[in-house]
Amino acid sequence: MANPTPQLFQTQRSGGGGGSEEGDHNSSSTSTLPMREGWWAAAPLFRLHGCWLTARLARSVELVQAEFKPRPDDVLLATFPKSGTTWLKALAFALINRSRHPVIVTGDVDDDHHHPLLSSNPHDLVPFLELPDRTLRPVAELEALPSPRLLCTHLPPALLPPGMLMTSSRAVYLCRYPKDVFVSYWHHVVQTLRHDSGLVDFDKAFELFCEGVSVCGPVWEHYLEYWKLSMGNPSSSRVLFLKYEEMMAQPAKHVRKLAEFLGVPFTEEEESGGVVEEVVRLCSFQNLKDLAVNTHGVSAQIGAAMANPVKNSLWFRSGKVGDWKNHLTQEMARRLDCIVEEKLKGSGLTF
């Protein structure tokens, strides 16, 4: 896949340190990009390769593009924000590491045998490429990870580091009904910025979302780019495309499919021993939500070095399929459905 270097990545990087979003949009790296209002007054969005980013995120993408070196055995988990990312991270981590960290432990259990998911938030176990702010947390942290690396991103393929997905590395993409994505995204932003008067109201955010304007949006373009990669050569594709709703309906079936794709299929002994079902239980939304580590503290990998760190509990709000019915009017739902249907028309991808 071609990955041309956009103008953003040809400009000189700004110096270290966080700074506020208010001043970020004056940086040279975003000065030539199309800009418009986003959901938060202090963070206008900039359009890069068809994707809307905050200035802070654009700088992180710049650093990842320049400094991250893909490895042939990398495994990348890709999602649009609020599409089941935390769940996918937990599942992939549990599957890939189950030889070192069994999900079923026999005999006496001590602290050394506790599964990492019981004491660490999934976001601390599977780091993002572009988060946290890479001017504060350098890309070198990712370089220091041993192979094979399990990584995650919200970026579309066009903004991935050069060479990513061009080698033998694999990617798992998880998508979700856009209506539920919007509602979950809105609640997450409200909880994160609840004391900020610059946040637009629900109706305005919905209007922007329908126009494709949200961080990493438009959502339909994000879906389509990964969908096309997964359909390029289904028999040898390095991209596994999954749907949140189908996984929720048949978790064991899709956990087996995910394990097969990741190169760690279940053995007959594991099947008969209930390992599949235990992975599903361990990584279930409700189980993760109820763990003490996810009801307290903040993620070390997302926002902890910033002025407004994200609480672990904010990654577990509802997780329900169809929660949009509690928040969107029928007219709003029909409008978004029509937009998404039109944008995906002819691709083979449906919801």
Side-chain angles (χ1 to χ4, degrees):
M1 177 185 66
N3 198 332
T5 303
Q7 183 174 358
L8 171 64
F9 306 132
Q10 298 172 355
T11 58
Q12 183 176 0
R13 296 204 305 263
S14 56
S20 65
E21 288 285 1
E22 290 93 333
D24 287 346
H25 62 265
N26 294 320
S27 67
S28 60
S29 59
T30 55
S31 61
T32 61
L33 299 177
M35 180 185 76
R36 65 168 299 174
E37 65 175 335
W39 293 16
W40 180 33
L45 300 181
F46 299 85
R47 193 171 177 87
L48 177 64
H49 276 286
C51 180
W52 291 104
L53 306 171
T54 64
R56 189 193 301 276
L57 183 53
R59 284 207 314 272
S60 280
V61 172
E62 175 186 9
L63 289 169
V64 171
Q65 280 270 349
E67 300 175 9
F68 181 80
K69 297 177 178 60
R71 300 174 192 167
D73 56 357
D74 283 341
V75 175
L76 183 66
L77 309 178
T79 62
F80 190 83
K82 309 311 296 178
S83 297
T85 312
T86 312
W87 185 33
L88 181 60
K89 283 188 174 188
L91 286 171
F93 180 88
L95 291 173
I96 289 178
N97 292 285
R98 68 183 189 274
S99 61
R100 288 191 300 146
H101 303 296
V103 295
I104 296 179
V105 179
T106 57
D108 294 332
V109 178
D110 56 36
D111 289 342
D112 291 336
H113 291 96
H114 285 163
H115 196 281
L117 282 169
L118 300 178
S119 57
S120 298
N121 183 274
H123 292 296
D124 291 334
L125 297 173
V126 183
F128 277 97
L129 289 176
E130 68 277 11
L131 298 172
D133 187 339
R134 289 300 172 193
T135 63
L136 301 176
R137 298 281 295 272
V139 177
E141 291 184 349
L142 302 177
E143 295 301 318
L145 296 175
S147 293
R149 295 180 297 188
L150 181 59
L151 305 165
C152 188
T153 189
H154 285 323
L155 299 177
L159 294 183
L160 291 177
M164 203 84 179
L165 304 184
M166 290 294 290
T167 61
S168 58
S169 59
R170 288 163 289 179
V172 178
Y173 188 76
L174 180 60
C175 72
R176 188 183 186 187
Y177 288 162
K179 295 191 294 289
D180 278 335
V181 168
F182 166 73
V183 169
S184 182
Y185 207 164
W186 166 255
H187 280 285
H188 184 80
V189 172
V190 167
Q191 288 299 310
T192 304
L193 303 173
R194 58 188 177 278
H195 301 304
D196 195 296
S197 60
L199 183 64
V200 300
D201 62 25
F202 183 85
D203 288 346
K204 178 61 175 178
F206 180 75
E207 289 293 324
L208 290 170
F209 192 79
C210 286
E211 294 177 34
V213 181
S214 64
V215 176
C216 294
V219 63
W220 46 83
E221 291 295 336
H222 207 280
Y223 290 179
L224 273 175
E225 288 190 40
Y226 281 100
W227 173 254
K228 291 175 181 176
L229 286 177
S230 73
M231 297 301 291
N233 186 354
S235 63
S236 61
S237 176
R238 293 190 296 273
V239 178
L240 175 65
F241 195 98
L242 300 172
K243 293 182 178 180
Y244 182 87
E245 295 75 22
E246 294 177 353
M247 288 185 67
M248 289 289 283
Q250 296 180 295
K253 172 185 175 180
H254 286 85
V255 163
R256 291 185 178 93
K257 184 176 184 178
L258 180 58
E260 187 78 29
F261 179 79
L262 294 175
V264 286
F266 291 100
T267 64
E268 291 185 6
E269 183 179 3
E270 287 178 315
E271 288 279 1
S272 61
V275 174
V276 176
E277 291 74 17
E278 184 58 21
V279 169
V280 171
R281 187 207 64 80
L282 173 66
C283 300
S284 70
F285 181 90
Q286 195 59 51
N287 185 63
L288 292 174
K289 182 177 182 178
D290 291 343
L291 293 174
V293 65
N294 295 322
T295 59
H296 301 85
V298 299
S299 170
Q301 290 295 330
I302 304 178
M306 298 167 59
N308 191 28
V310 179
K311 295 180 180 179
N312 284 340
S313 59
L314 295 187
W315 303 113
F316 303 93
R317 186 186 68 86
S318 169
K320 295 179 179 179
V321 174
D323 183 50
W324 64 266
K325 297 175 183 177
N326 299 315
H327 305 276
L328 299 180
T329 66
Q330 288 299 317
E331 181 181 353
M332 295 168 81
R334 282 194 298 270
R335 180 183 174 193
L336 185 52
D337 281 343
C338 288
I339 291 172
V340 173
E341 182 178 355
E342 177 61 28
K343 297 295 183 180
L344 300 182
K345 187 175 181 180
S347 67
L349 176 59
T350 59
F351 289 94

